[in-house]
Amino acid sequence: MKRLFVVIAAVVVVLMSAHSGAGAVTTVTVTPANMNGWGFVQEVANGTGALVVGPAVPPLGPGSAHMTVDATGRELLATLAYAGTRFADITSLSYSTYQDPASSAASNLAISLQFDADYDLTDSNTAWQGRLVFEPYYTNTVVKGAWQTWNPLAGVWWASGAPGSTFCPISTPCTWAQVLSHFPNGGIRVGGALQFKAGGPWPGFDGNVDAFTIGTISGTTTYDFNAPVQCTTDCYVRPDGNDLNGGTADTPADAKQTIQAAV
């Protein structure tokens, strides 16, 4: 996991411009050819993560991030781009999820949003303090086979480690206002991740996440998790393309790089 996070960190500088500038509103498309600072991490075996087309009609673009886990697996889709962000500086959050109707997991499960937490960014303690977790089912009805959109700031949050778990344990989660009241200097740990997670464990879970929007005092960014639509009859190839592209257009952003991939 550490090695993968190093890769993510290497492109955070590029991504930081996506949420810089007061009042800026930006859409960032995340594809296999350009993950824009995001990465799949298998926290506990066994799980899978990939950008795919569908399922059904995603809320933004033709694709989404697909995550599965078995009886023990825990799969993450994470970015380090918001490390050091104060909770009080987060102005909006939303994302959409889907659980496959054929999934054998419990029907109330939806991919969670989690922050690696530091409950006082102003002190010298940067050690691991667990995660602050939003799970939709605490305050919403999750439906299999349908895309649903969640507003975490209107939901409740629980903490997996101290001191957060002293005030907001999983048995009695806190509202966002209570989180800010308990931890006015809290935030995402320096070097820590913002992540989506499948598993807890959730045996047989099969689901997707898309259209993640986060607003901060610096601006608002929407992340479109997507897989390029693949060419069928006509496939474009360019030396400056990428074999992970769809090949449907004669541009570096969509053309494939090799004839073998187009074939």
Side-chain angles (χ1 to χ4, degrees):
M1 182 171 71
K2 289 181 179 178
R3 180 164 54 87
L4 285 175
F5 274 162
V6 169
V7 174
I8 297 170
V11 292
V12 165
V13 173
V14 176
L15 185 57
M16 289 300 289
S17 62
H19 62 280
S20 63
V25 179
T26 307
T27 298
V28 175
T29 301
V30 180
T31 67
N34 188 357
M35 293 295 288
N36 271 309
W38 291 84
F40 289 101
V41 180
Q42 190 177 92
E43 185 177 48
V44 177
N46 290 301
T48 66
L51 297 173
V52 300
V53 175
V57 181
L60 190 62
S64 63
H66 179 221
M67 304 167 76
T68 69
V69 293
D70 66 4
T72 60
R74 290 166 174 80
E75 185 75 17
L76 307 177
L77 174 59
T79 180
L80 300 177
Y82 293 90
T85 300
R86 296 174 68 245
F87 294 149
D89 291 342
I90 296 174
T91 58
S92 63
L93 288 171
S94 68
Y95 70 101
S96 300
T97 64
Y98 180 96
Q99 186 182 167
D100 191 296
S103 169
S104 60
S107 60
N108 68 330
L109 296 176
I111 292 171
S112 63
L113 174 63
Q114 306 192 1
F115 302 144
D116 288 348
D118 182 339
Y119 292 101
D120 189 351
L121 287 170
T122 65
D123 65 16
S124 60
N125 179 16
T126 59
W128 173 254
Q129 298 172 36
R131 292 183 180 142
L132 188 65
V133 179
F134 166 78
E135 294 187 276
Y137 73 85
Y138 273 93
T139 50
N140 301 274
T141 300
V142 180
V143 179
K144 279 188 177 183
W147 279 102
Q148 297 176 276
T149 300
W150 315 114
N151 177 5
L153 298 188
V156 293
W157 297 74
W158 59 270
S160 67
S165 55
T166 302
F167 297 91
C168 304
I170 191 171
S171 57
T172 53
C174 291
T175 65
W176 188 248
Q178 289 171 324
V179 170
L180 298 183
S181 177
H182 291 312
F183 309 105
N185 295 316
I188 300 173
R189 187 169 62 93
V190 173
L194 176 159
Q195 59 234 308
F196 292 101
K197 181 176 179 180
W202 298 348
F205 179 82
D206 185 332
N208 300 67
V209 61
D210 193 24
F212 171 53
T213 295
I214 177 169
T216 71
I217 58 173
S218 299
T220 300
T221 302
T222 296
Y223 294 94
D224 176 14
F225 301 120
N226 231 325
V229 176
Q230 295 297 312
C231 57
T232 53
T233 54
D234 296 325
C235 294
Y236 292 90
V237 176
R238 295 170 57 107
D240 55 356
N242 189 305
D243 284 344
L244 294 175
N245 289 338
T248 61
D250 187 16
T251 65
D254 194 59
K256 295 186 178 295
Q257 187 179 50
T258 65
I259 294 175
Q260 289 87 348
V263 172

